[in-house]
Amino acid sequence: MTRQYRDTVRLIVDSFSELTPQQQKAAKFILENPEDVGLNSMRAIAKGAAVKPATVSRLSKTLGFAEYHQFREPFRERLRKIEPKFASRVADVQKRGGDYEALLSELRAQEIGNIQGTLSDQNIPVLLDAAETMHQSRRVYVLGLRGAYGPAFLFYYAYQLFQENCRLIDTRAGIFADQLRGVGETDSLLVISFPPYTQLTIDAVQYADEAGAKIIAITDSVVSPATSAAGHTIITRNHSTSFYHSFTGALAVTEALITLLVTKKGGDAVRIAREAENQLSKISAYW
């Protein structure tokens, strides 16, 4: 029978004094980062705790779990029970109905703040470094699922108009994992992820990291699971008066990266873009 989350936490606390110093280090990280345990692999947890994976494995067995995945299950179950709270936020917005001008004025101010906070002077060096990493990559993989699919697709669509080494990862036809086949040390993965974080997204980040790819994360916080393996983390504001968080900041980041990358591509970008224009014209893509 699967142990409950609170019982697992109590077990860790009660057993803490009997653990080795390295196991205590891992246990402290686990207690302080329960979401990470539910979302990430044993290797990622070990990295976060600054211990060896074998230490995390021995810890789970010391606590009475035959395998690490059994130890991890209560943490995963806890995440499954944490609802996105969309319904309650819908209700909150509806309660404010009537004064629509004030509501939209607040929304406008927040969206402006999202862009200013995201494209801040503090984020410019990160954007420059991320763009250079992608520019040097053999292939650029792009991933954003659920609500994050919009900015991910926009980046992919604009990028492939002047570059030929991009691959958009999605869930069509159930071939999600297949699309990551071949990712390696000379590649980069641009991942866009906001809460509630999608499990497939975190799985893909871990897989790409283990394959040696460079990770560029566009996310809301330095403790986002998308940052666990990121070489470049672009913190993006996503505040909104509406019930769903804003993607305006994420869109601003994708536009900034596209702008930087097209300047780095040089004359080849012009040639590829011209070829794309000619092709689209022949098939009457535009009215």
Side-chain angles (χ1 to χ4, degrees), residues 29-211:
F29 177 85
I30 288 167
L31 291 172
E32 293 175 351
N33 301 275
E35 288 83 6
D36 286 0
V37 181
L39 289 166
N40 295 319
S41 66
M42 182 174 68
R43 187 178 297 276
I45 296 305
K47 182 178 180 181
V51 299
K52 295 180 179 179
T55 299
V56 179
S57 177
R58 284 194 292 269
L59 170 63
S60 64
K61 291 180 179 178
T62 299
L63 294 172
F65 297 88
E67 301 290 344
Y68 174 75
H69 71 85
Q70 295 175 352
F71 171 72
R72 179 189 183 190
E73 187 55 33
F75 295 87
R76 291 174 65 90
E77 186 63 26
R78 173 180 177 270
L79 286 176
R80 294 187 189 107
K81 294 178 179 178
I82 298 177
E83 299 179 357
K85 299 181 180 179
F86 293 139
S88 62
R89 294 196 63 183
V90 167
D92 290 341
V93 173
Q94 288 182 339
K95 288 177 183 177
R96 300 184 57 185
D99 191 354
Y100 299 119
E101 291 185 1
L103 194 63
L104 292 177
S105 178
E106 183 179 341
L107 182 67
R108 176 183 61 201
Q110 286 187 333
E111 294 293 22
I112 292 172
N114 286 338
I115 295 174
Q116 289 178 333
T118 298
L119 298 183
S120 64
D121 291 343
Q122 182 179 357
N123 265 355
I124 287 177
V126 184
L127 287 164
L128 292 172
D129 290 344
E132 181 61 23
T133 292
M134 286 189 281
H135 176 63
Q136 296 294 337
S137 297
R138 175 189 59 166
R139 282 191 301 256
V140 174
Y141 293 80
V142 183
L143 172 62
L145 299 179
R146 304 178 72 84
Y149 184 79
F153 181 81
L154 178 62
F155 176 90
Y156 164 76
Y157 181 77
Y159 186 79
Q160 57 88 36
L161 288 174
F162 67 89
Q163 189 55 291
E164 299 173 318
N165 66 334
C166 194
R167 182 174 296 178
L168 178 68
I169 304 171
D170 57 31
T171 56
R172 68 184 188 279
I175 60 169
F176 181 83
D178 301 67
Q179 297 170 84
L180 277 169
R181 193 186 318 127
V183 66
E185 296 178 358
T186 57
D187 302 322
S188 60
L189 170 66
L190 175 66
V191 58
I192 305 174
S193 182
F194 292 91
Y197 306 107
T198 304
Q199 182 64 55
L200 273 177
T201 298
I202 308 309
D203 291 344
V205 169
Q206 293 172 3
Y207 181 85
D209 175 52
E210 290 174 2

Side-chain angles (χ1 to χ4, degrees), residues 204-251:
V205 169
Q206 293 172 3
Y207 181 85
D209 175 52
E210 290 174 2
K214 285 80 174 177
I215 312 296
I216 300 100
I218 300 174
T219 190
D220 65 309
S221 168
V222 292
V223 297
S224 161
T227 70
S228 61
H232 310 287
T233 298
I234 305 169
I235 301 302
T236 307
R237 285 187 52 170
N238 63 343
H239 302 165
S240 179
T241 299
S242 186
F243 78 97
Y244 201 76
H245 50 250
S246 170
F247 281 97
T248 302
L251 289 168

